[in-house]
Amino acid sequence: MSQLKQISHLDNIPSTPGKFKMEKSPYTHRLRWHSSLAKLTFWSFIFLGLILIFFLRSPSSSSIPSDPSRRSLRTSNWGGPAWEKRVRSSARVRSRNGISVLVTGAAGFVGTHVSAALKRRGDGVLGLDNFNDYYDPSLKRARQALLERTGVFVVEGDINDSALLRKLFEVVAFTHVMHLAAQAGVRYAMENPSSYVHSNIAGLVNVLEVCKSANPQPAIVWASSSSVYGLNTKVPFSEKDRTDQPASLYAATKKAGEEIAHTYNHIYGLSLTGLRFFTVYGPWGRPDMAYFFFTRDILKGKSIPIFEAANHGTVARDFTYIDDIVKGCLASLDTAEKSTGSGGKKKGAAQLRVFNLGNTSPVPVTDLVSILERLLKVKAKRTMLKLPRNGDVQFTHANISSAQRELGYKPTTDLQTGLKKFVRWYLSYYAGGKKSAA
Ligand SMILES: O=C(O)[C@H]1O[C@H](OP(=O)(O)OP(=O)(O)OC[C@H]2O[C@@H](n3ccc(=O)[nH]c3=O)[C@H](O)[C@@H]2O)[C@H](O)[C@@H](O)[C@@H]1O
Protein backbone atom coordinates (compact mmCIF):
# COMPACT_ATOMS: atom_id res chain seq x y z
CA MET A 1 0.00 0.00 0.00
CA SER A 2 2.68 2.50 1.04
CA GLN A 3 4.59 1.78 -2.18
CA LEU A 4 1.49 2.47 -4.21
CA LYS A 5 1.03 5.77 -2.41
CA GLN A 6 4.64 6.63 -3.20
CA ILE A 7 4.12 5.91 -6.86
CA SER A 8 0.98 8.03 -7.11
CA HIS A 9 2.86 10.74 -5.23
CA LEU A 10 5.61 10.50 -7.83
CA ASP A 11 3.02 10.92 -10.59
CA ASN A 12 1.92 14.22 -9.10
CA ILE A 13 5.37 15.75 -9.39
CA PRO A 14 5.46 17.93 -12.49
CA SER A 15 8.20 17.15 -14.95
CA THR A 16 8.95 20.87 -15.27
CA PRO A 17 9.70 22.13 -11.75
CA GLY A 18 9.69 25.71 -13.01
CA LYS A 19 5.92 25.66 -13.20
CA PHE A 20 5.73 24.64 -9.57
CA LYS A 21 3.98 27.19 -7.36
CA MET A 22 6.54 28.09 -4.70
CA GLU A 23 5.04 28.88 -1.34
CA LYS A 24 8.30 28.44 0.57
CA SER A 25 11.90 28.95 -0.45
CA PRO A 26 13.01 26.88 -3.48
CA TYR A 27 15.84 25.50 -1.36
CA THR A 28 13.40 23.98 1.17
CA HIS A 29 11.40 22.50 -1.65
CA ARG A 30 14.45 20.92 -3.28
CA LEU A 31 15.42 19.42 0.06
CA ARG A 32 11.95 17.87 0.43
CA TRP A 33 12.02 16.65 -3.12
CA HIS A 34 15.39 14.98 -2.54
CA SER A 35 14.19 13.34 0.66
CA SER A 36 11.06 12.05 -1.12
CA LEU A 37 13.22 10.62 -3.86
CA ALA A 38 15.42 8.93 -1.28
CA LYS A 39 12.34 7.53 0.47
CA LEU A 40 10.94 6.34 -2.81
CA THR A 41 14.19 4.61 -3.73
CA PHE A 42 14.38 3.05 -0.28
CA TRP A 43 10.81 1.68 -0.38
CA SER A 44 11.20 0.52 -3.99
CA PHE A 45 14.21 -1.57 -2.95
CA ILE A 46 12.27 -3.02 -0.02
CA PHE A 47 9.33 -3.79 -2.32
CA LEU A 48 11.50 -5.45 -4.99
CA GLY A 49 13.35 -7.35 -2.28
CA LEU A 50 10.08 -8.72 -0.91
CA ILE A 51 8.97 -9.83 -4.38
CA LEU A 52 12.34 -11.54 -4.91
CA ILE A 53 12.14 -13.33 -1.56
CA PHE A 54 8.59 -14.45 -2.37
CA PHE A 55 9.67 -16.04 -5.65
CA LEU A 56 12.94 -17.51 -4.42
CA ARG A 57 11.60 -19.00 -1.20
CA SER A 58 10.28 -22.56 -1.45
CA PRO A 59 9.54 -23.60 -5.04
CA SER A 60 6.50 -25.51 -3.83
CA SER A 61 4.64 -22.70 -2.23
CA SER A 62 4.66 -20.52 -5.29
CA SER A 63 4.17 -23.11 -7.99
CA ILE A 64 0.73 -24.45 -7.11
CA PRO A 65 -1.83 -22.50 -9.03
CA SER A 66 -4.86 -21.32 -7.12
CA ASP A 67 -7.48 -23.67 -8.40
CA PRO A 68 -11.19 -23.17 -8.02
CA SER A 69 -11.88 -26.68 -9.33
CA ARG A 70 -10.53 -28.19 -6.12
CA ARG A 71 -12.48 -27.57 -3.00
CA SER A 72 -9.54 -28.28 -0.78
CA LEU A 73 -5.99 -28.25 -2.00
CA ARG A 74 -3.53 -27.48 0.74
CA THR A 75 -0.25 -25.90 -0.23
CA SER A 76 2.30 -28.65 -0.31
CA ASN A 77 5.29 -28.48 1.89
CA TRP A 78 8.36 -30.12 0.47
CA GLY A 79 12.09 -29.77 0.10
CA GLY A 80 15.12 -29.79 2.35
CA PRO A 81 17.72 -32.44 3.18
CA ALA A 82 15.51 -34.45 5.60
CA TRP A 83 12.69 -34.57 3.06
CA GLU A 84 15.07 -35.65 0.27
CA LYS A 85 16.44 -38.39 2.51
CA ARG A 86 12.91 -39.76 3.07
CA VAL A 87 12.20 -39.61 -0.67
CA ARG A 88 15.42 -41.48 -1.47
CA SER A 89 14.90 -44.11 1.18
CA SER A 90 11.30 -44.80 0.12
CA ALA A 91 12.32 -45.14 -3.54
CA ARG A 92 15.34 -47.36 -2.82
CA VAL A 93 15.16 -50.73 -4.59
CA ARG A 94 15.61 -53.59 -2.15
CA SER A 95 15.46 -56.62 -4.41
CA ARG A 96 17.55 -57.87 -7.31
CA ASN A 97 16.13 -56.59 -10.62
CA GLY A 98 13.70 -54.38 -8.71
CA ILE A 99 12.33 -51.17 -10.20
CA SER A 100 11.89 -47.74 -8.68
CA VAL A 101 8.39 -46.41 -9.18
CA LEU A 102 6.78 -43.03 -8.66
CA VAL A 103 3.11 -43.75 -7.89
CA THR A 104 0.82 -40.76 -8.36
CA GLY A 105 -2.51 -40.91 -6.54
CA ALA A 106 -0.84 -43.19 -4.00
CA ALA A 107 -3.38 -42.43 -1.26
CA GLY A 108 -6.20 -43.34 -3.64
CA PHE A 109 -7.89 -46.73 -3.73
CA VAL A 110 -5.90 -48.39 -6.53
CA GLY A 111 -2.76 -46.36 -5.73
CA THR A 112 -2.58 -47.65 -2.17
CA HIS A 113 -2.94 -51.29 -3.18
CA VAL A 114 -0.41 -51.01 -6.02
CA SER A 115 2.13 -49.15 -3.86
CA ALA A 116 1.88 -51.73 -1.07
CA ALA A 117 2.24 -54.63 -3.52
CA LEU A 118 5.32 -53.11 -5.17
CA LYS A 119 6.92 -52.44 -1.80
CA ARG A 120 6.19 -56.00 -0.63
CA ARG A 121 8.16 -57.47 -3.49
CA GLY A 122 11.15 -55.19 -2.90
CA ASP A 123 10.66 -52.44 -5.44
CA GLY A 124 11.39 -48.83 -4.59
CA VAL A 125 8.15 -46.85 -4.26
CA LEU A 126 7.52 -43.18 -3.75
CA GLY A 127 3.92 -41.97 -3.48
CA LEU A 128 2.47 -38.61 -4.49
CA ASP A 129 -1.04 -37.43 -3.63
CA ASN A 130 -2.79 -34.09 -3.20
CA PHE A 131 -5.29 -35.42 -0.63
CA ASN A 132 -8.16 -33.43 -2.13
CA ASP A 133 -11.61 -33.71 -0.58
CA TYR A 134 -13.56 -35.23 -3.49
CA TYR A 135 -14.38 -37.84 -0.85
CA ASP A 136 -13.57 -38.08 2.85
CA PRO A 137 -9.84 -37.19 3.10
CA SER A 138 -9.58 -39.07 6.42
CA LEU A 139 -9.86 -42.33 4.45
CA LYS A 140 -6.93 -41.15 2.29
CA ARG A 141 -4.98 -40.32 5.45
CA ALA A 142 -5.69 -43.79 6.82
CA ARG A 143 -4.39 -45.32 3.59
CA GLN A 144 -1.32 -43.09 3.85
CA ALA A 145 -0.70 -44.33 7.40
CA LEU A 146 -1.00 -47.89 6.14
CA LEU A 147 1.58 -47.21 3.43
CA GLU A 148 3.95 -45.48 5.83
CA ARG A 149 3.92 -48.61 7.99
CA THR A 150 5.12 -50.60 4.96
CA GLY A 151 7.86 -48.04 4.26
CA VAL A 152 6.21 -46.01 1.49
CA PHE A 153 6.51 -42.25 1.84
CA VAL A 154 3.61 -40.35 0.27
CA VAL A 155 4.60 -36.82 -0.68
CA GLU A 156 1.76 -34.35 -0.42
CA GLY A 157 1.55 -32.42 -3.68
CA ASP A 158 -0.31 -31.97 -6.92
CA ILE A 159 0.59 -33.50 -10.29
CA ASN A 160 0.24 -30.01 -11.77
CA ASP A 161 3.17 -28.83 -9.67
CA SER A 162 5.98 -29.18 -12.21
CA ALA A 163 8.66 -27.87 -9.84
CA LEU A 164 7.83 -30.62 -7.37
CA LEU A 165 7.80 -33.32 -10.06
CA ARG A 166 11.12 -32.12 -11.46
CA LYS A 167 12.58 -32.14 -7.96
CA LEU A 168 11.45 -35.73 -7.42
CA PHE A 169 13.21 -36.79 -10.63
CA GLU A 170 16.30 -34.86 -9.54
CA VAL A 171 16.42 -36.80 -6.28
CA VAL A 172 15.51 -40.24 -7.72
CA ALA A 173 16.08 -41.66 -11.22
CA PHE A 174 12.70 -43.42 -11.35
CA THR A 175 12.64 -46.26 -13.85
CA HIS A 176 8.81 -46.29 -13.91
CA VAL A 177 5.85 -44.04 -13.21
CA MET A 178 2.51 -45.55 -12.21
CA HIS A 179 0.21 -42.62 -12.90
CA LEU A 180 -3.06 -43.17 -11.05
CA ALA A 181 -3.83 -39.64 -9.82
CA ALA A 182 -7.07 -38.52 -11.47
CA GLN A 183 -10.47 -37.04 -10.92
CA ALA A 184 -12.62 -40.16 -10.90
CA GLY A 185 -16.39 -40.65 -10.90
CA VAL A 186 -18.75 -40.54 -13.83
CA ARG A 187 -21.66 -38.48 -12.46
CA TYR A 188 -19.63 -35.83 -10.56
CA ALA A 189 -18.36 -34.49 -13.90
CA MET A 190 -21.65 -32.61 -14.34
CA GLU A 191 -21.11 -30.90 -10.99
CA ASN A 192 -17.45 -29.98 -11.27
CA PRO A 193 -16.26 -30.26 -14.88
CA SER A 194 -13.09 -28.22 -14.41
CA SER A 195 -11.70 -30.65 -11.84
CA TYR A 196 -11.63 -33.30 -14.62
CA VAL A 197 -9.75 -30.99 -16.97
CA HIS A 198 -7.37 -30.00 -14.16
CA SER A 199 -6.39 -33.54 -13.15
CA ASN A 200 -7.06 -35.77 -16.13
CA ILE A 201 -5.81 -33.47 -18.88
CA ALA A 202 -3.59 -30.70 -17.50
CA GLY A 203 -2.20 -33.01 -14.80
CA LEU A 204 -1.47 -35.82 -17.25
CA VAL A 205 0.29 -33.43 -19.64
CA ASN A 206 2.37 -32.10 -16.77
CA VAL A 207 3.42 -35.59 -15.70
CA LEU A 208 4.36 -36.47 -19.31
CA GLU A 209 6.25 -33.19 -19.77
CA VAL A 210 8.41 -33.92 -16.75
CA CYS A 211 8.88 -37.58 -17.77
CA LYS A 212 9.92 -36.69 -21.31
CA SER A 213 12.62 -34.35 -19.98
CA ALA A 214 13.87 -36.74 -17.32
CA ASN A 215 17.16 -38.48 -17.94
CA PRO A 216 16.69 -41.43 -18.18
CA GLN A 217 13.05 -41.21 -19.22
CA PRO A 218 10.86 -43.58 -17.18
CA ALA A 219 8.33 -46.01 -18.66
CA ILE A 220 4.78 -44.93 -17.77
CA VAL A 221 1.73 -47.02 -16.93
CA TRP A 222 -1.43 -45.01 -16.33
CA ALA A 223 -5.12 -45.39 -15.54
CA SER A 224 -7.57 -44.98 -18.39
CA SER A 225 -11.12 -46.26 -17.97
CA SER A 226 -13.73 -48.64 -19.33
CA SER A 227 -15.90 -45.55 -19.74
CA VAL A 228 -14.04 -44.70 -22.98
CA TYR A 229 -16.27 -47.28 -24.71
CA GLY A 230 -19.20 -44.92 -24.04
CA LEU A 231 -22.14 -45.70 -26.27
CA ASN A 232 -20.38 -48.64 -27.94
CA THR A 233 -22.86 -51.53 -28.11
CA LYS A 234 -20.60 -54.31 -29.42
CA VAL A 235 -19.82 -56.73 -26.57
CA PRO A 236 -17.53 -57.70 -25.05
CA PHE A 237 -15.58 -54.45 -25.36
CA SER A 238 -12.33 -54.99 -27.21
CA GLU A 239 -9.42 -52.56 -27.41
CA LYS A 240 -10.02 -52.46 -31.17
CA ASP A 241 -13.59 -51.17 -30.76
CA ARG A 242 -14.50 -47.54 -31.33
CA THR A 243 -14.06 -45.16 -28.42
CA ASP A 244 -15.21 -41.95 -30.00
CA GLN A 245 -18.63 -41.71 -28.33
CA PRO A 246 -17.94 -40.92 -24.66
CA ALA A 247 -21.09 -40.54 -22.55
CA SER A 248 -19.57 -38.33 -19.85
CA LEU A 249 -16.95 -35.62 -19.54
CA TYR A 250 -15.02 -38.04 -17.32
CA ALA A 251 -14.91 -40.54 -20.20
CA ALA A 252 -13.98 -37.78 -22.64
CA THR A 253 -10.99 -36.72 -20.49
CA LYS A 254 -9.79 -40.34 -20.26
CA LYS A 255 -10.16 -40.72 -24.02
CA ALA A 256 -8.25 -37.46 -24.46
CA GLY A 257 -5.58 -38.94 -22.19
CA GLU A 258 -5.17 -41.88 -24.56
CA GLU A 259 -4.64 -39.50 -27.48
CA ILE A 260 -2.22 -37.39 -25.44
CA ALA A 261 -0.31 -40.59 -24.61
CA HIS A 262 -0.04 -41.31 -28.33
CA THR A 263 1.44 -37.87 -28.93
CA TYR A 264 4.09 -38.15 -26.22
CA ASN A 265 5.01 -41.63 -27.41
CA HIS A 266 5.28 -40.39 -31.00
CA ILE A 267 7.22 -37.20 -30.35
CA TYR A 268 9.42 -38.06 -27.39
CA GLY A 269 9.77 -41.85 -27.41
CA LEU A 270 8.02 -42.33 -24.06
CA SER A 271 6.98 -45.90 -23.31
CA LEU A 272 3.28 -45.68 -22.42
CA THR A 273 0.71 -48.23 -21.29
CA GLY A 274 -2.91 -47.20 -20.63
CA LEU A 275 -5.09 -49.50 -18.52
CA ARG A 276 -8.87 -49.42 -18.99
CA PHE A 277 -10.12 -50.38 -15.53
CA PHE A 278 -13.62 -51.86 -15.26
CA THR A 279 -15.49 -50.73 -12.07
CA VAL A 280 -12.81 -51.68 -9.55
CA TYR A 281 -14.03 -52.54 -6.04
CA GLY A 282 -12.68 -53.94 -2.77
CA PRO A 283 -11.35 -53.12 0.70
CA TRP A 284 -10.16 -49.51 1.14
CA GLY A 285 -12.39 -48.60 -1.82
CA ARG A 286 -13.92 -45.31 -2.91
CA PRO A 287 -16.96 -44.07 -0.96
CA ASP A 288 -18.40 -42.40 -4.09
CA MET A 289 -18.89 -45.78 -5.77
CA ALA A 290 -22.23 -47.59 -5.67
CA TYR A 291 -21.14 -50.81 -3.87
CA PHE A 292 -19.59 -48.65 -1.11
CA PHE A 293 -22.44 -46.22 -0.44
CA PHE A 294 -25.05 -48.95 -0.93
CA THR A 295 -23.35 -50.82 1.95
CA ARG A 296 -23.35 -47.70 4.12
CA ASP A 297 -27.00 -46.86 3.36
CA ILE A 298 -28.31 -50.43 3.71
CA LEU A 299 -26.75 -50.53 7.18
CA LYS A 300 -28.32 -47.17 8.02
CA GLY A 301 -31.74 -48.34 6.80
CA LYS A 302 -31.75 -45.63 4.11
CA SER A 303 -33.26 -46.39 0.74
CA ILE A 304 -30.84 -46.94 -2.13
CA PRO A 305 -31.39 -45.70 -5.70
CA ILE A 306 -30.96 -48.51 -8.22
CA PHE A 307 -30.83 -47.52 -11.86
CA GLU A 308 -32.66 -49.40 -14.58
CA ALA A 309 -32.74 -48.87 -18.32
CA ALA A 310 -35.84 -48.26 -20.44
CA ASN A 311 -38.57 -50.93 -20.08
CA HIS A 312 -37.03 -52.15 -16.82
CA GLY A 313 -33.85 -53.05 -18.73
CA THR A 314 -30.96 -54.42 -16.69
CA VAL A 315 -28.03 -52.18 -15.84
CA ALA A 316 -24.87 -54.24 -15.36
CA ARG A 317 -21.19 -53.79 -14.67
CA ASP A 318 -18.11 -55.93 -15.17
CA PHE A 319 -17.09 -55.41 -11.50
CA THR A 320 -13.37 -56.18 -11.07
CA TYR A 321 -11.74 -57.04 -7.75
CA ILE A 322 -8.81 -54.90 -6.63
CA ASP A 323 -6.32 -57.79 -6.24
CA ASP A 324 -6.85 -58.76 -9.88
CA ILE A 325 -6.32 -55.13 -10.92
CA VAL A 326 -3.10 -54.95 -8.87
CA LYS A 327 -1.76 -58.03 -10.68
CA GLY A 328 -2.58 -56.38 -14.01
CA CYS A 329 -0.80 -53.17 -12.94
CA LEU A 330 2.35 -54.98 -11.79
CA ALA A 331 2.44 -57.11 -14.94
CA SER A 332 2.14 -53.92 -17.02
CA LEU A 333 5.10 -52.38 -15.21
CA ASP A 334 7.12 -55.59 -15.58
CA THR A 335 6.49 -55.90 -19.31
CA ALA A 336 6.91 -52.20 -20.07
CA GLU A 337 9.83 -51.58 -22.38
CA LYS A 338 12.22 -48.72 -21.75
CA SER A 339 11.45 -45.29 -23.16
CA THR A 340 13.77 -44.50 -26.04
CA GLY A 341 14.29 -40.77 -25.73
CA SER A 342 16.73 -38.71 -23.74
CA GLY A 343 17.10 -35.02 -23.02
CA GLY A 344 13.59 -34.47 -24.40
CA LYS A 345 14.51 -36.02 -27.79
CA LYS A 346 13.17 -39.23 -29.29
CA LYS A 347 15.83 -41.77 -30.27
CA GLY A 348 13.58 -44.43 -31.74
CA ALA A 349 10.11 -45.97 -31.73
CA ALA A 350 8.81 -46.74 -28.24
CA GLN A 351 6.15 -49.06 -26.85
CA LEU A 352 2.53 -47.80 -26.83
CA ARG A 353 -0.13 -50.10 -25.35
CA VAL A 354 -3.75 -50.07 -24.13
CA PHE A 355 -5.30 -52.96 -22.18
CA ASN A 356 -8.72 -53.76 -20.80
CA LEU A 357 -8.50 -54.90 -17.19
CA GLY A 358 -11.94 -56.30 -16.41
CA ASN A 359 -13.48 -59.42 -14.97
CA THR A 360 -15.27 -60.65 -18.12
CA SER A 361 -18.54 -61.44 -16.32
CA PRO A 362 -20.97 -58.52 -15.99
CA VAL A 363 -23.35 -58.60 -13.00
CA PRO A 364 -26.67 -56.68 -12.83
CA VAL A 365 -26.69 -53.94 -10.20
CA THR A 366 -29.77 -55.60 -8.67
CA ASP A 367 -27.66 -58.74 -8.05
CA LEU A 368 -24.95 -56.64 -6.45
CA VAL A 369 -27.58 -55.38 -4.00
CA SER A 370 -28.82 -58.93 -3.28
CA ILE A 371 -25.27 -60.07 -2.49
CA LEU A 372 -24.81 -57.12 -0.14
CA GLU A 373 -28.12 -57.92 1.59
CA ARG A 374 -26.96 -61.48 2.26
CA LEU A 375 -23.52 -60.41 3.50
CA LEU A 376 -24.87 -57.62 5.71
CA LYS A 377 -27.91 -59.64 6.80
CA VAL A 378 -30.06 -56.55 6.25
CA LYS A 379 -32.83 -56.12 3.70
CA ALA A 380 -32.22 -53.13 1.42
CA LYS A 381 -34.87 -50.51 0.80
CA ARG A 382 -34.73 -50.39 -2.99
CA THR A 383 -35.88 -47.42 -5.05
CA MET A 384 -35.84 -48.15 -8.75
CA LEU A 385 -34.91 -45.12 -10.85
CA LYS A 386 -34.51 -44.51 -14.53
CA LEU A 387 -30.83 -44.59 -15.58
CA PRO A 388 -29.87 -40.91 -15.52
CA ARG A 389 -28.58 -39.38 -18.71
CA ASN A 390 -25.58 -37.90 -16.96
CA GLY A 391 -22.82 -40.20 -18.02
CA ASP A 392 -23.95 -43.67 -16.98
CA VAL A 393 -23.93 -46.39 -19.60
CA GLN A 394 -26.20 -49.43 -19.44
CA PHE A 395 -23.53 -52.12 -19.29
CA THR A 396 -19.83 -52.83 -19.49
CA HIS A 397 -18.14 -56.08 -20.41
CA ALA A 398 -14.41 -56.52 -20.99
CA ASN A 399 -12.70 -58.66 -23.54
CA ILE A 400 -9.38 -59.32 -21.83
CA SER A 401 -7.68 -61.56 -24.37
CA SER A 402 -5.04 -58.95 -25.12
CA ALA A 403 -4.12 -58.50 -21.42
CA GLN A 404 -4.17 -62.29 -21.02
CA ARG A 405 -1.75 -62.75 -23.90
CA GLU A 406 0.63 -59.87 -23.18
CA LEU A 407 0.46 -59.60 -19.39
CA GLY A 408 -0.64 -63.05 -18.29
CA TYR A 409 -3.63 -61.27 -16.72
CA LYS A 410 -6.27 -63.66 -15.39
CA PRO A 411 -8.89 -62.38 -12.93
CA THR A 412 -9.78 -64.94 -10.27
CA THR A 413 -12.22 -63.22 -7.90
CA ASP A 414 -15.97 -63.29 -8.49
CA LEU A 415 -18.25 -60.54 -7.16
CA GLN A 416 -19.57 -62.63 -4.25
CA THR A 417 -16.06 -63.43 -2.98
CA GLY A 418 -14.78 -59.90 -3.51
CA LEU A 419 -17.73 -58.24 -1.80
CA LYS A 420 -17.32 -60.57 1.16
CA LYS A 421 -13.79 -59.23 1.61
CA PHE A 422 -15.00 -55.67 1.14
CA VAL A 423 -17.78 -56.03 3.73
CA ARG A 424 -15.37 -57.58 6.24
CA TRP A 425 -13.04 -54.61 5.79
CA TYR A 426 -15.90 -52.10 5.90
CA LEU A 427 -17.28 -53.44 9.17
CA SER A 428 -13.89 -53.46 10.84
CA TYR A 429 -12.85 -50.04 9.50
CA TYR A 430 -16.06 -48.34 10.59
CA ALA A 431 -16.36 -50.59 13.64
CA GLY A 432 -18.69 -49.44 16.40
CA GLY A 433 -19.51 -46.25 14.52
CA LYS A 434 -16.19 -44.76 15.66
CA LYS A 435 -15.57 -43.49 12.16
CA SER A 436 -18.52 -42.47 10.02
CA ALA A 437 -18.75 -43.33 6.34
CA ALA A 438 -19.99 -39.89 5.35
O1 LIG B 1 -15.19 -48.68 -15.10
C1 LIG B 1 -14.86 -47.53 -15.03
O2 LIG B 1 -14.10 -47.06 -15.83
C2 LIG B 1 -15.45 -46.62 -14.00
O3 LIG B 1 -16.03 -47.39 -12.96
C3 LIG B 1 -16.74 -46.65 -12.02
O4 LIG B 1 -17.88 -46.08 -12.62
P1 LIG B 1 -19.23 -46.91 -12.55
O5 LIG B 1 -19.11 -48.21 -13.24
O6 LIG B 1 -20.31 -45.99 -12.99
O7 LIG B 1 -19.33 -47.24 -10.97
P2 LIG B 1 -20.42 -46.84 -9.89
O8 LIG B 1 -20.61 -45.38 -9.83
O9 LIG B 1 -20.01 -47.50 -8.64
O10 LIG B 1 -21.74 -47.51 -10.43
C4 LIG B 1 -21.87 -48.91 -10.50
C5 LIG B 1 -23.23 -49.26 -11.04
O11 LIG B 1 -24.21 -48.85 -10.10
C6 LIG B 1 -25.19 -48.04 -10.76
N1 LIG B 1 -25.65 -47.02 -9.78
C7 LIG B 1 -24.83 -46.04 -9.39
C8 LIG B 1 -25.25 -45.10 -8.48
C9 LIG B 1 -26.55 -45.15 -7.99
O12 LIG B 1 -26.99 -44.31 -7.18
N2 LIG B 1 -27.35 -46.18 -8.40
C10 LIG B 1 -26.94 -47.13 -9.29
O13 LIG B 1 -27.71 -48.03 -9.64
C11 LIG B 1 -24.50 -47.46 -11.97
O14 LIG B 1 -25.43 -47.18 -12.98
C12 LIG B 1 -23.55 -48.58 -12.35
O15 LIG B 1 -24.22 -49.49 -13.18
C13 LIG B 1 -15.87 -45.57 -11.38
O16 LIG B 1 -16.61 -44.72 -10.56
C14 LIG B 1 -15.14 -44.76 -12.42
O17 LIG B 1 -14.23 -43.90 -11.78
C15 LIG B 1 -14.42 -45.73 -13.34
O18 LIG B 1 -13.66 -45.11 -14.28
Side-chain angles (χ1 to χ4, degrees):
M1 276 305 269
S2 61
Q3 287 82 3
L4 281 176
K5 273 189 201 143
Q6 293 281 359
I7 289 162
S8 61
H9 175 64
L10 182 71
D11 286 345
N12 289 337
I13 296 174
S15 53
T16 48
K19 284 181 192 160
F20 220 64
K21 192 180 167 212
M22 305 212 185
E23 284 162 8
K24 293 188 183 155
S25 93
Y27 178 65
T28 318
H29 173 72
R30 206 174 299 139
L31 251 182
R32 273 210 196 125
W33 196 83
H34 277 305
S35 91
S36 312
L37 194 67
K39 266 190 199 160
L40 177 72
T41 316
F42 173 75
W43 283 111
S44 302
F45 272 119
I46 296 282
F47 184 56
L48 285 174
L50 284 174
I51 290 180
L52 212 68
I53 289 167
F54 179 75
F55 278 106
L56 292 181
R57 237 182 22 133
S58 148
S60 60
S61 51
S62 57
S63 51
I64 290 192
S66 74
D67 177 19
S69 64
R70 287 274 179 221
R71 285 165 298 168
S72 156
L73 230 185
R74 292 198 305 165
T75 306
S76 63
N77 188 10
W78 53 267
W83 178 86
E84 287 187 19
K85 200 170 157 209
R86 281 187 83 187
V87 167
R88 241 179 248 115
S89 149
S90 184
R92 188 166 302 127
V93 177
R94 287 164 209 276
S95 70
R96 251 170 64 100
N97 303 324
I99 54 178
S100 68
V101 191
L102 170 65
V103 180
T104 70
F109 170 36
V110 180
T112 298
H113 284 277
V114 169
S115 301
L118 288 169
K119 197 72 187 180
R120 266 198 304 273
R121 62 177 210 180
D123 293 323
V125 186
L126 180 79
L128 175 68
D129 204 292
N130 71 6
F131 293 92
N132 71 50
D133 66 355
Y134 166 60
Y135 60 78
D136 183 12
S138 75
L139 178 57
K140 299 180 182 184
R141 292 294 173 189
R143 295 185 190 129
Q144 177 187 29
L146 188 84
L147 285 179
E148 302 234 317
R149 284 198 291 278
T150 69
V152 177
F153 176 34
V154 183
V155 170
E156 184 165 351
D158 195 276
I159 49 169
N160 282 281
D161 187 346
S162 14
L164 169 58
L165 288 184
R166 279 198 302 269
K167 182 75 193 175
L168 293 176
F169 273 92
E170 238 175 76
V171 178
V172 178
F174 294 105
T175 55
H176 294 74
V177 172
M178 184 83 218
H179 176 49
L180 298 168
Q183 176 59 60
V186 175
R187 289 163 292 277
Y188 181 64
M190 303 263 288
E191 241 174 89
N192 192 353
S194 59
S195 68
Y196 289 80
V197 178
H198 174 83
S199 296
N200 304 357
I201 299 190
L204 173 67
V205 169
N206 200 46
V207 167
L208 297 180
E209 274 294 312
V210 174
C211 288
K212 80 134 212 256
S213 305
N215 223 339
Q217 289 177 336
I220 301 144
V221 177
W222 68 283
S224 182
S225 159
S226 75
S227 64
V228 298
Y229 291 107
L231 305 180
N232 178 40
T233 48
K234 188 175 154 287
V235 280
F237 300 163
S238 145
E239 290 89 346
K240 292 184 204 84
D241 292 345
R242 63 187 292 192
T243 52
D244 58 351
Q245 308 169 92
S248 65
L249 181 68
Y250 168 68
T253 59
K254 286 295 181 180
K255 170 67 181 168
E258 293 189 356
E259 307 305 329
I260 290 166
H262 179 273
T263 311
Y264 276 80
N265 169 268
H266 174 68
I267 303 180
Y268 301 110
L270 280 177
S271 161
L272 275 148
T273 304
L275 301 177
R276 294 177 179 166
F277 294 150
F278 281 69
T279 317
V280 190
Y281 72 99
W284 296 97
R286 275 171 35 208
D288 64 315
M289 289 185 67
Y291 74 93
F292 198 117
F293 67 78
F294 282 179
T295 300
R296 180 193 64 208
D297 291 347
I298 290 172
L299 288 170
K300 279 188 183 164
K302 267 177 72 177
S303 88
I304 52 167
I306 302 172
F307 300 149
E308 60 180 8
N311 304 317
H312 304 293
T314 303
V315 173
R317 285 291 178 275
D318 196 1
F319 295 100
T320 311
Y321 189 62
I322 183 67
D323 290 1
D324 290 325
I325 290 292
V326 168
K327 282 185 206 143
C329 290
L330 267 52
S332 301
L333 288 167
D334 292 341
T335 54
E337 289 169 9
K338 284 196 167 118
S339 292
T340 63
S342 75
K345 294 230 169 58
K346 181 178 176 179
K347 297 266 165 65
Q351 192 179 37
L352 180 68
R353 306 180 293 176
V354 171
F355 293 114
N356 284 343
L357 292 186
N359 194 49
T360 68
S361 54
V363 177
V365 179
T366 44
D367 290 8
L368 163 88
V369 176
S370 304
I371 299 173
L372 287 176
E373 285 178 324
R374 279 199 298 278
L375 293 169
L376 298 168
K377 300 185 182 67
V378 181
K379 189 119 193 76
K381 291 189 186 125
R382 302 175 184 223
T383 307
M384 301 309 290
L385 293 178
K386 249 176 68 188
L387 187 69
R389 296 161 76 109
N390 58 1
D392 264 290
V393 293
Q394 193 178 339
F395 55 85
T396 61
H397 184 179
N399 172 335
I400 56 160
S401 48
S402 179
Q404 223 153 15
R405 199 176 50 244
E406 310 276 327
L407 309 175
Y409 171 74
K410 199 170 179 300
T412 56
T413 313
D414 62 23
L415 188 59
Q416 163 86 26
T417 313
L419 282 179
K420 196 170 169 185
K421 293 183 182 178
F422 164 72
V423 166
R424 196 183 306 142
W425 167 80
Y426 183 97
L427 295 176
S428 80
Y429 184 74
Y430 295 107
K434 267 179 254 146
K435 296 185 204 91
S436 81

